[in-house]
């Protein structure tokens, strides 16, 4: 190839470039397209860079139409949620990056739409805009499981450290959905949004302190706290009689079934604290606790301390009466103590470990059907079910207090080497005889024919 | 459609996936020795059916363990302080997923104090992982 040719022999232009797209090096005139000079043709792979079809045929690379539509969808979601422009820009950047990644470039359009929602979600979280995954799923009309999977894959490939969802931040936005202002409902049922939210936030904080929130889906908890907040702000007969069903119909929200259980759990906690109020003479029950909610929330830290102390004293008295000395110390160690409450009788960590590891702990008086018979320290060590530590403390996660019934594990032979002799009779018991095999095939055929008809 | 035969035996109570290539996966055993014994039994069944099977290259691929620390755990606190290893999305799953680097084990930590450890090739990795996580969990017992 002559490197010295500087003018095109066809048009005389000096605009000559080296064209290295193909395995034969060429010098080409840009103005008229003539090949000015070329190198030796070769059929050997010279190790040049791979030339893709799109690169050789593209004139000007146009942006992908689906990417454009996706970015528009991101914009639309941001506008519906009324987020600020910074979140919108972040979302679009993340969407462009994720879209072009190999994990998402070839997925279905439906998944790409879900990706758009996830980009908005992560941008909102990073910029402290409270929003739940449920809201995004609802907006996209997508399965929350699919949204969750796409979200986790996206933050992994983009290496985003998204902050964790905090329920207290979201509840204010969530409470706006409830149409119970004086514009929507009669005056006696109406409630000011600010008061409602403030009370609901305090209830959620109390629920979080007493192990009701951790590990649970947040939306039913928010619904329960808003319902209880609404009832307690004006605890008259009318409000107290209104069920959650009717409340949700009135507020024009969809009722969530788990919210019923959360209401019961939160009422139980409120009752435990309500019993510690010194000026309340009557017994505090779930039916009358709503009247005390204001006082309970105003003095909740002091009431928590009192309740824990009372519980500890009760356990100590019981243990002294029954001659045991290990239980109350362990119980006190599992208490709520988020607000700097220090238990002066707090056990050492070693004692708790000893108590936790022991399988010789005394059983409760009755056979509690809820106590799960699983072995904490090994399935075959003890035939007696492990005592439920959740029942001995004042506040514990509900899944510990009311554990699911588990299938009892059969105690298996422990000393197995893996090289034992295998008896022929045992193996034969797994193999069908020719007659059994014939009968089985015939039955299957009959069943499949009957299914077809 | 699944390109394997699913077979089960009663003792040790396990399930096996047997592929036409002769490879087999045996799951559900309670120990390494149980797993080896069960795999040998499956191989013996296949031999008795007339195939020229041999039992070779037995290897433990995954071990799952569970335990209970018997105190509740503040998952929200744990995910804040160990963000680079933890993933906690209560809207998706009630447990916190902790991906330990050394040993390379994944732990599912629940508010009840129950912990599931998985991804181990050897028993020692499970014990090491638990030795590493227990002091961290104790830190979230009392705030």
């Amino acid at each position: 190839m002559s490197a010295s040719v500087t003018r095109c022999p066809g048009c005389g232009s000096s605009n000559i470039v080296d064209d290295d797209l193909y395995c034969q090096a060429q010098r080409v005139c840009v103005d008229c397209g003539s090949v000015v000079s070329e190198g030796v043709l070769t059929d050997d792979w010279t190790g040049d860079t791979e030339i893709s079809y799109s690169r050789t045929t593209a004139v000007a690379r146009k942006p992908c139409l689906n990417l454009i539509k996706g970015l528009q969808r991101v914009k639309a979601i941001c506008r519906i949620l009324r987020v600020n422009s910074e979140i919108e820009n972040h979302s679009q950047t993340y969407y462009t990056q994720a879209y072009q990644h190999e994990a998402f470039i070839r997925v279905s359009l439906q998944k790409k739409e879900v990706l758009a929602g996830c980009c908005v979600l992560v941008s909102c979280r990073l910029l402290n805009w409270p929003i739940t995954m449920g809201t995004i799923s609802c907006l996209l009309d997508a399965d929350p499981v699919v949204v969750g999977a796409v979200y986790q894959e996206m933050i992994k490939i983009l290496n985003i450290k998204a902050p964790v969802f905090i329920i207290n931040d979201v509840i204010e936005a969530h409470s706006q959905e409830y149409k119970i202002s004086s514009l929507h409902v009669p005056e006696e049922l109406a409630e000011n949004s600010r008061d409602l939210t403030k009370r609901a936030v305090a209830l959620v904080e109390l629920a979080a302190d007493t192990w009701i929130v951790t590990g649970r889906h947040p939306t039913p908890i928010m619904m329960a706290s808003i319902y209880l907040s609404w009832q307690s702000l004006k605890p008259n007969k009318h409000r107290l009689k209104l069920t959650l069903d009717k409340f949700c119909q009135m507020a024009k929200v969809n009722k969530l079934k788990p919210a019923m259980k959360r209401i019961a759990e939160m009422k139980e906690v409120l009752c435990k604290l309500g019993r510690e109020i010194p000026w309340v003479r009557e017994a505090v029950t779930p039916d009358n606790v709503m009247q005390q909610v204001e006082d309970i929330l105003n003095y909740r830290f002091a009431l928590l301390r009192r309740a824990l102390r009372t519980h500890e004293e009760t356990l100590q008295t019981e243990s002294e009466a029954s001659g045991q000395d290990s239980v109350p110390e362990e119980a006190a160690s599992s208490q709520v103590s988020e607000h700097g409450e220090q238990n002066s009788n707090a056990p050492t960590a070693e004692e708790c470990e000893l108590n936790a590891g022991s399988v010789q702990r005394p059983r409760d008086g009755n056979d509690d059907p809820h106590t799960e018979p699983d072995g904490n320290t090994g399935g075959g060590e003890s035939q007696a079910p492990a005592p439920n530590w959740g029942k001995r403390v004042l506040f514990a996660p509900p899944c510990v207090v009311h554990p699911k019934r588990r299938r009892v594990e059969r105690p298996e032979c422990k000393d197995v080497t893996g090289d034992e002799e295998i008896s022929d009779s045992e193996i034969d018991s797994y193999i069908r005889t020719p007659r059994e095999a014939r009968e089985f095939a015939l039955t299957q055929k009959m069943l499949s024919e009957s299914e077809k008809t | 459609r699944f390109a394997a035969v699913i077979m089960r035996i009663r003792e040790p109570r396990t399930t096996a996936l047997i592929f036409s290539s002769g490879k087999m996966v045996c799951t559900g055993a309670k120990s390494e020795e149980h797993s080896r014994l069960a795999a040998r039994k499956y191989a013996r069944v296949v031999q008795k059916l007339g195939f020229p099977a041999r039992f070779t290259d037995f290897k433990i691929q995954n071990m799952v363990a569970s335990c209970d620390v018997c105190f509740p755990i503040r998952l929200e606190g744990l995910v804040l302080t160990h963000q680079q290893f933890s993933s906690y999305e209560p809207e998706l799953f009630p447990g916190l997923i902790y991906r330990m680097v050394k040993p390379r084990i994944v732990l599912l930590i629940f508010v009840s104090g129950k912990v599931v450890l998985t991804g181990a090739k050897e028993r020692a990795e499970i014990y090491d992982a638990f030795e590493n996580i227990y002091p961290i969990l104790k830190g979230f017992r009392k705030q």
Side-chain angles (χ1 to χ4, degrees):
Chain A
M1 189 177 68
S2 167
S4 62
V5 176
T6 54
R7 284 202 170 270
C8 171
C11 63
S13 162
S14 58
N15 195 3
I16 296 173
V17 295
D18 286 320
D19 180 7
D20 60 354
L21 277 184
Y22 304 100
C23 280
Q24 181 184 30
Q26 297 170 331
R27 299 194 82 218
V28 177
C29 174
V30 172
D31 293 333
C32 68
S34 321
V35 174
V36 175
S37 61
E38 58 191 6
V40 175
L41 271 174
T42 173
D43 57 4
D44 292 330
W45 175 249
T46 59
D48 289 337
T49 55
E50 231 174 85
I51 308 298
S52 66
Y53 175 75
S54 59
R55 200 178 139 201
T56 59
T57 54
V59 174
R61 186 88 193 256
K62 286 181 191 165
C64 169
L65 272 176
N66 286 328
L67 174 59
I68 297 171
K69 280 185 190 164
L71 288 168
Q72 284 169 354
R73 187 77 178 109
V74 167
K75 209 170 175 177
I77 295 171
C78 291
R79 295 286 154 91
I80 292 169
L81 293 172
R82 296 197 204 168
V83 298
N84 58 39
S85 57
E86 202 183 342
I87 292 175
E88 195 177 311
N89 294 338
H90 265 80
S91 309
Q92 290 184 321
T93 310
Y94 286 136
Y95 185 79
T96 310
Q97 286 173 4
Y99 185 96
Q100 289 164 349
H101 192 275
E102 59 179 358
F104 287 110
I105 188 75
R106 286 183 193 89
V107 299
S108 63
L109 291 175
Q110 190 189 23
K111 217 169 177 185
K112 282 175 177 164
E113 196 184 343
V114 170
L115 178 65
C118 293
C119 292
V120 174
L121 173 64
V122 78
S123 306
C124 287
R125 281 201 182 172
L126 285 167
L127 294 167
N128 290 324
W129 190 278
I131 188 170
T132 63
M133 219 174 268
T135 304
I136 297 289
S137 309
C138 197
L139 262 179
L140 300 172
D141 195 22
D143 184 3
V145 173
V146 173
V147 173
V150 171
Y151 176 78
Q152 286 180 324
E153 201 179 348
M154 182 199 77
I155 60 171
K156 188 174 144 191
I157 63 172
L158 297 182
N159 202 20
I160 300 171
K161 298 276 182 274
V164 180
F165 168 86
I166 297 173
I167 191 172
N168 300 26
D169 296 339
V170 179
I171 193 157
E172 194 175 332
H174 182 80
S175 67
Q176 306 296 326
E177 288 181 28
Y178 291 74
K179 306 277 179 276
I180 43 176
S181 67
S182 47
L183 301 167
H184 303 105
V185 297
E187 196 56 46
E188 56 179 4
L189 298 174
E191 207 51 69
N192 176 303
S193 168
R194 220 170 67 174
D195 294 338
L196 187 76
T197 307
K198 191 176 165 193
R199 180 69 57 95
V201 167
L203 279 168
V204 163
E205 283 173 3
L206 181 62
D209 289 347
T210 52
W211 301 103
I212 291 174
V213 172
T214 307
R216 258 85 175 275
H217 202 289
T219 318
I221 297 170
M222 294 196 283
M223 178 174 279
S225 61
I226 287 169
Y227 172 68
L228 291 174
S229 164
W230 174 80
Q231 278 193 328
S232 64
L233 282 168
K234 271 187 206 128
N236 52 43
K237 245 186 192 171
H238 194 169
R239 284 201 187 190
L240 294 178
K241 269 194 174 166
L242 207 74
T243 59
L244 181 66
D245 259 329
K246 293 261 160 64
F247 173 75
C248 292
Q249 276 177 20
M250 178 183 76
K252 298 188 182 53
V253 293
N254 290 330
K255 180 191 151 187
L256 300 166
K257 220 167 145 199
M260 294 291 304
K261 286 190 197 160
R262 302 298 165 260
I263 288 168
E265 287 165 3
M266 286 165 78
K267 274 188 170 176
E268 198 184 323
V269 165
L270 289 167
C271 286
K272 284 180 182 172
L273 297 185
R275 280 171 210 140
E276 300 300 323
I277 301 176
W279 55 84
V280 170
R281 299 287 170 213
E282 59 182 357
V284 178
T285 65
D287 296 325
N288 63 17
V289 72
M290 285 294 118
Q291 282 90 344
Q292 315 303 334
V293 168
E294 189 173 353
D295 287 337
I296 292 170
L297 293 176
N298 286 340
Y299 303 108
R300 68 178 188 264
F301 303 129
L303 290 172
L304 272 169
R305 280 194 291 270
R306 277 180 75 119
L308 293 171
R309 210 174 301 135
T310 311
H311 183 75
E312 213 184 290
E313 284 164 9
T314 314
L315 286 175
Q316 240 171 0
T317 318
E318 279 173 12
S319 70
E320 276 163 16
S322 60
Q324 295 166 15
D325 60 354
S326 66
V327 169
E329 292 173 359
E330 186 192 346
S333 69
S334 303
Q335 295 307 311
V336 170
S337 53
E338 282 239 332
H339 303 281
E341 189 256 328
Q342 293 296 326
N343 193 329
S344 57
N345 293 329
T348 61
E350 289 77 17
E351 280 176 276
C352 298
E353 286 176 37
L354 279 171
N355 288 331
S358 165
V359 292
Q360 298 303 322
R361 283 176 294 183
R363 294 181 62 179
D364 292 335
N366 310 326
D367 276 338
D368 188 345
H370 292 296
T371 304
E372 56 177 335
D374 62 338
N376 295 338
T377 54
E381 282 186 20
S382 168
Q383 293 296 327
N388 187 345
W389 60 264
K391 290 196 188 292
R392 290 194 307 277
V393 300
L394 187 58
F395 299 113
C399 58
V400 177
V401 178
H402 305 294
K404 283 185 190 163
R405 295 184 76 163
R406 298 266 177 222
R407 180 183 60 194
V408 180
E409 292 287 340
R410 284 184 309 155
E412 282 198 24
C413 180
K414 282 290 180 186
D415 31 325
V416 166
T417 62
D419 293 315
E420 282 88 348
E421 281 295 314
I422 300 170
S423 68
D424 280 343
S425 57
E426 186 192 347
I427 300 299
D428 286 334
S429 70
Y430 292 118
I431 298 172
R432 288 193 185 108
T433 60
R435 188 182 163 190
E436 279 174 345
R438 275 197 303 273
E439 284 172 1
F440 183 74
L442 192 64
T443 314
Q444 265 197 319
K445 194 175 164 189
M446 280 163 57
L447 279 170
S448 61
E449 276 169 6
S450 66
E451 268 170 28
K452 277 180 198 166
T453 54
Chain B
R1 300 191 77 142
F2 193 54
V5 162
I6 302 167
M7 197 184 289
R8 291 187 174 89
I9 59 172
R10 290 178 290 268
E11 186 58 45
R13 200 158 152 273
T14 50
T15 304
L17 305 175
I18 305 172
F19 295 85
S20 57
S21 61
K23 288 196 165 40
M24 180 177 71
V25 180
C26 173
T27 60
K30 292 295 179 194
S31 73
E32 300 93 310
E33 294 80 20
H34 282 101
S35 182
R36 186 183 164 83
L37 177 61
R40 284 178 54 228
K41 288 188 180 181
Y42 286 113
R44 185 68 69 82
V45 169
V46 170
Q47 273 175 349
K48 282 237 167 186
L49 287 169
F51 299 96
R54 291 181 300 120
F55 183 72
T56 60
D57 299 335
F58 176 80
K59 187 183 171 198
I60 300 285
Q61 297 287 4
N62 185 41
M63 294 176 74
V64 182
S66 65
C67 63
D68 189 350
V69 299
C70 291
F71 54 79
I73 302 166
R74 288 270 170 223
L75 301 180
E76 306 91 343
L78 179 56
V79 75
L80 279 175
T81 54
H82 290 76
Q83 201 180 18
Q84 64 273 43
F85 307 112
S86 312
S87 163
Y88 171 54
E89 294 286 344
E91 291 184 85
L92 299 177
F93 187 66
L96 184 148
I97 302 168
Y98 191 103
R99 294 180 192 277
M100 195 175 280
V101 172
K102 201 175 179 316
R104 201 156 158 266
I105 297 285
V106 173
L107 299 91
L108 303 178
I109 303 167
F110 297 91
V111 66
S112 58
K114 290 193 167 49
V115 180
V116 174
L117 305 93
T118 184
K121 291 266 195 283
E122 289 169 4
R123 196 177 273 248
E125 289 176 358
I126 295 279
Y127 293 139
D128 288 344
F130 184 73
E131 295 296 320
N132 290 345
I133 203 72
Y134 189 72
I136 296 170
L137 298 181
K138 263 194 344 183
F140 289 93
R141 183 179 180 181
K142 277 192 213 181
Q143 299 274 328

